[in-house]
């Protein structure tokens, strides 16, 4: 892929009413023209909240908005026919579809079962009480609305390792289910937070059950027949044993000759944790570069007090660029969400330049930054808040600049705490650029571009600076940018091409 870019084509507060698939279909040509190579769609499967579900409370993986279940036929985003139309429109525009894979848990069971459980210390999941509690739990999924179409598999308590609610006695907490697969406790090769972070929510799927693994292999074959897919985003992988995704991804890739683009959400700012996970899955997925994201967040908060020279310290894109997917925001970090840590608006053009125009990593664009959104929700303070996230005005131009000018060898000029720059040398087929960024006052950077670019006039593609900068006989030039801003300098002769 030439300069791939992922668009997260949704956000947490996208309006209900089945409108997204129609919007995706309508906007497919536009995002293709911007150079988007992949569109990451939200979970397209029926959730426990039916038409109100964002999609991460998975109920039925085989219901893409086709069956009357959980109070609706369509999902929050539309019906199955609309999803297929949207996917086909993206494909016609040269944009691959990335489906969101949510297989950590299930919610909204159809029936209760008699089960035996052990109580678990929520703050230390390895502390499992020896007492056996006989109770009822919502662990049986029969999908009566689908009536066995596509799959007749029934999920029961043997498919799960834990729940967070039991009846008779009625209790909330974390409970390890006692079955044929849980004698040794929780799964291994999961995150070590809270002792063992296998359990997250709902009925926790246990991948040690061979029938479960077989069903998930069958499901992905079915999904590929229903929707044209070019890749996947894997949800909550820190809670899923790495050995499962190592094997499952090998199976998925065996279904096609051309490679899938796969990125997993392992939300940790610890680079060593991310590197360890990549070793465990034998490099079969990319990961979101959470350490870089947190650096961008802090840089946006600290302004000129942040040392831009340290921006890529201890980041995945610097350590292992071939497995790094960079981002400037997502549905979990947007305001009023659990992982709220937004990049401040003033810094977003700088942040997008730092992920879109560099050589390393595959960048992600977040829906609100491209289209702008407004929503309301209750904050942690208990009050209602109205959130306005305006579109980043420079983003379409930065996306076009990635396709037109982000080519060739990269040279960094990270020699000042408040003003940094990097160049892309260009290739025989495509021109390069000079990118200058300041988080303080107006800045400038002396750059050597070589005799091949001697005596050449350059202009700011973003239009932030009005002057023309001409290199000298040796191809040297002093390139500028405004305070708290970014300029992308390109050959004047290429400005209108």
């Amino acid at each position: 892929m030439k300069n791939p870019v992922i668009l997260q084509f949704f956000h947490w507060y996208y309006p209900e009413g089945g409108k997204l698939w129609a919007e995706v279909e309508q906007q497919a040509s536009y995002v293709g023209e911007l150079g988007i190579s992949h569109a990451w769609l939200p979970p397209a499967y029926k959730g426990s909240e039916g038409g109100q579900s964002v999609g991460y409370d998975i109920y039925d993986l085989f219901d893409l908005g086709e069956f009357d279940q959980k109070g609706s036929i369509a999902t929050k985003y539309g019906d199955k026919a609309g999803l297929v139309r949207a996917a086909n429109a993206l494909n016609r525009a040269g944009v691959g579809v990335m489906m969101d894979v949510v297989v950590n848990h299930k919610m909204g069971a159809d029936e209760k079962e008699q089960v035996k459980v052990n109580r678990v210390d929520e703050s230390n999941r390895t502390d499992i009480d020896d007492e056996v509690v006989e109770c009822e739990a919502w662990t049986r999924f029969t999908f009566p609305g689908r009536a066995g179409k596509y799959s007749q598999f029934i999920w029961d308590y043997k498919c799960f390792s834990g729940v967070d609610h039991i009846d008779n006695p009625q209790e909330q907490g974390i409970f390890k289910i006692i079955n044929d697969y849980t004698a040794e406790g929780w799964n291994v090769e999961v995150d070590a937070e809270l002792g063992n972070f296998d359990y997250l929510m709902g009925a926790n799927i246990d991948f040690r059950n061979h029938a479960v693994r077989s069903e998930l292999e069958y499901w992905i074959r079915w999904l590929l027949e229903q929707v044209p897919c070019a890749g996947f985003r894997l949800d909550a992988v820190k809670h899923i044993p790495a050995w499962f995704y190592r094997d499952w991804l090998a199976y998925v890739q065996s279904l096609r000759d051309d490679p899938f683009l796969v990125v997993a959400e392992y939300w940790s700012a610890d680079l060593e944790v991310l590197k360890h996970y990549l070793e465990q899955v034998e490099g079969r997925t990319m990961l979101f570069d959470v350490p870089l994201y947190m650096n961008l967040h802090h840089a946006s908060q600290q302004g000129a007090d942040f040392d831009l020279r340290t921006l890529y310290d201890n980041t995945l894109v610097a350590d292992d660029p071939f497995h790094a997917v960079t981002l400037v925001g997502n549905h979990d970090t947007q305001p009023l969400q659990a992982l709220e840590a937004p990049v401040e608006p003033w810094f977003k053009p700088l942040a997008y330049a730092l992920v879109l125009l560099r050589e390393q990593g595959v960048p992600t664009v977040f829906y609100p930054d491209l289209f702008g959104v407004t929503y309301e929700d209750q904050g942690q303070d208990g009050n209602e808040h109205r959130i306005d996230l305006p579109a980043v005005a420079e983003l379409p131009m930065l996306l076009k600049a990635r396709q037109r000018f982000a080519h060739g060898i990269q040279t960094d000029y990270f020699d000042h705490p408040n003003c940094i720059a990097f160049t892309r040398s260009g290739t025989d087929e495509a021109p390069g650029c000079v990118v200058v960024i300041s988080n303080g006052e107006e800045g400038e950077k002396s750059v050597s571009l070589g005799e091949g670019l001697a005596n050449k006039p350059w202009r700011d593609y973003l239009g932030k600076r009005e002057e023309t900068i001409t290199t000298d006989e040796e191809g040297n030039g002093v390139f500028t940018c405004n305070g708290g801003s970014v300029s992308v300098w390109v050959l004047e002769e290429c400005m209108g091409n």
Side-chain angles (χ1 to χ4, degrees):
M1 287 175 285
K2 183 178 179 181
N3 284 356
V5 185
I6 300 168
L7 169 62
Q8 182 178 350
F9 216 137
F10 67 102
H11 66 105
W12 189 267
Y13 297 98
Y14 191 89
E16 299 172 9
K19 301 174 182 178
L20 180 60
W21 301 151
E23 182 184 357
V24 172
E25 183 179 8
Q26 180 184 8
Q27 297 281 11
S29 295
Y30 172 63
V31 301
E33 291 167 1
L34 290 178
I36 301 295
S37 63
H38 292 77
W40 159 21
L41 303 182
Y45 332 102
K46 189 67 59 68
S48 64
E49 297 296 319
Q52 298 179 324
S53 170
V54 175
Y56 294 99
D57 55 337
I58 289 295
Y59 166 67
D60 187 359
L61 289 166
F62 288 92
D63 186 354
L64 299 175
E66 186 178 2
F67 304 99
D68 189 354
Q69 300 190 111
K70 299 303 176 183
S72 69
I73 294 176
T75 69
K76 177 180 180 179
Y77 309 111
D79 61 16
K80 180 181 179 181
L83 169 63
V84 173
R85 286 195 302 271
N88 288 333
L90 287 168
N91 281 190
R92 289 193 298 271
V95 181
V97 174
M98 294 181 69
M99 298 294 284
D100 206 322
V101 174
V102 187
V103 295
N104 175 73
H105 52 269
K106 296 182 80 67
M107 303 180 77
D110 301 297
E111 300 173 14
K112 289 193 289 188
E113 295 181 289
Q114 287 290 139
V115 297
K116 297 178 180 180
V117 302
N118 304 115
R119 296 184 181 92
V120 178
D121 185 339
E122 295 186 43
S123 61
N124 179 9
R125 311 294 177 76
T126 63
D127 185 359
I128 301 172
D129 195 279
D130 290 334
E131 180 185 359
V132 175
V133 180
E134 296 190 13
C135 59
E136 295 177 322
W138 290 93
T139 51
R140 187 170 175 83
F141 293 77
T142 60
F143 316 111
R146 181 159 53 81
K149 186 174 182 180
Y150 302 132
S151 171
Q152 297 183 12
F153 188 79
I154 300 298
W155 295 71
D156 63 17
Y157 77 97
K158 294 181 181 180
C159 301
F160 305 106
S161 60
V163 291
D164 55 8
H165 175 84
I166 58 173
D167 287 330
N168 298 319
Q170 183 173 338
E171 292 183 31
Q172 295 289 127
I174 297 179
F175 308 91
K176 184 185 72 68
I177 294 173
I178 298 173
N179 61 36
D180 297 339
Y181 305 95
T182 61
E184 297 179 0
W186 303 108
N187 270 288
V188 297
E189 294 192 19
V190 296
D191 193 85
E193 186 177 347
L194 302 176
N196 178 295
F197 221 171
D198 183 5
Y199 186 84
L200 176 62
M201 64 175 68
N204 191 68
I205 292 176
D206 197 330
F207 303 93
R208 292 170 292 195
N209 185 325
H210 177 74
V212 166
R213 299 198 302 275
S214 295
E215 178 70 356
L216 292 176
E217 289 181 353
Y218 167 71
W219 167 72
I220 199 63
R221 293 198 308 272
W222 171 85
L223 181 64
L224 292 172
E225 293 172 354
Q226 308 300 310
V227 183
C229 294
F232 305 96
R233 180 264 188 185
L234 310 179
D235 182 60
V237 299
K238 68 192 299 182
H239 309 281
I240 296 172
W243 57 259
F244 167 75
Y245 265 133
R246 180 197 65 213
D247 297 344
W248 190 80
L249 287 171
Y251 172 77
V252 171
Q253 190 56 66
S254 73
L255 301 176
R256 276 227 313 241
D257 293 332
D258 52 321
F260 290 104
L261 178 60
V262 183
V263 56
E265 179 222 14
Y266 196 118
W267 200 259
S268 172
D270 188 331
L271 174 61
E272 294 305 314
V273 169
L274 301 184
K275 290 168 63 176
H276 180 60
Y277 183 79
L278 287 171
E279 292 174 1
Q280 289 180 311
V281 297
E282 299 179 357
R284 289 177 178 156
T285 178
M286 305 178 78
L287 293 178
F288 289 109
D289 193 344
V290 181
L292 175 61
Y293 175 77
M294 294 309 299
N295 286 352
L296 295 173
H297 165 64
H298 294 313
S300 76
Q301 288 187 316
Q302 297 173 22
D305 291 333
F306 186 90
D307 188 340
L308 291 175
R309 296 172 297 183
T310 68
L311 195 64
Y312 293 97
D313 290 357
N314 300 310
T315 62
L316 186 61
V317 75
D319 188 89
D320 186 359
F322 296 105
H323 287 99
V325 172
T326 54
L327 70 160
V328 181
N330 71 13
H331 61 290
D332 288 321
T333 67
Q334 69 184 105
L336 305 183
Q337 274 302 292
L339 300 175
E340 178 177 347
V343 173
E344 298 297 329
W346 76 271
F347 195 76
K348 282 185 178 181
L350 290 68
Y352 272 114
L354 287 162
V355 302
L356 286 171
L357 302 182
R358 291 179 65 79
E359 185 177 1
Q360 299 85 6
V362 174
T364 306
V365 171
F366 189 30
Y367 177 101
D369 295 334
L370 186 59
F371 298 110
V373 301
T374 299
Y375 58 88
E376 295 181 4
D377 195 14
Q378 189 177 80
Q380 293 184 0
D381 59 5
N383 297 321
E384 287 291 322
H385 295 268
R386 176 185 172 91
I387 303 296
D388 292 300
L389 298 179
V392 178
E394 299 88 346
L395 185 51
M397 291 293 285
L398 286 168
L399 283 163
K400 292 177 181 178
R402 174 173 174 81
Q403 300 307 320
R404 294 182 58 188
F405 307 113
H407 304 284
I409 297 170
Q410 179 175 290
T411 303
D412 289 339
Y413 294 80
F414 284 28
D415 53 6
H416 190 279
N418 299 123
C419 184
I420 59 174
F422 60 91
T423 64
R424 300 297 299 274
S425 65
T427 64
D428 292 340
E429 296 80 24
C433 60
V434 178
V435 181
V436 187
I437 291 170
S438 172
N439 68 354
E441 299 178 352
E442 180 177 330
E444 63 177 38
K445 196 68 64 178
S446 296
V447 173
S448 178
L449 298 170
E451 293 183 357
L453 291 171
N455 302 310
K456 292 285 189 179
W458 294 70
R459 298 289 304 277
D460 181 5
Y461 186 67
L462 298 181
K464 304 284 188 179
R465 304 285 294 191
E466 296 182 359
E467 70 265 35
T468 298
I469 293 174
T470 303
T471 52
D472 64 17
E473 301 81 14
E474 296 179 347
N476 302 318
V478 178
F479 293 85
T480 60
C481 73
N482 296 333
S485 186
V486 56
S487 288
V488 180
W489 296 92
V490 302
L491 289 168
E492 185 176 53
E493 63 197 60
C494 298
M495 282 285 289
N497 294 341

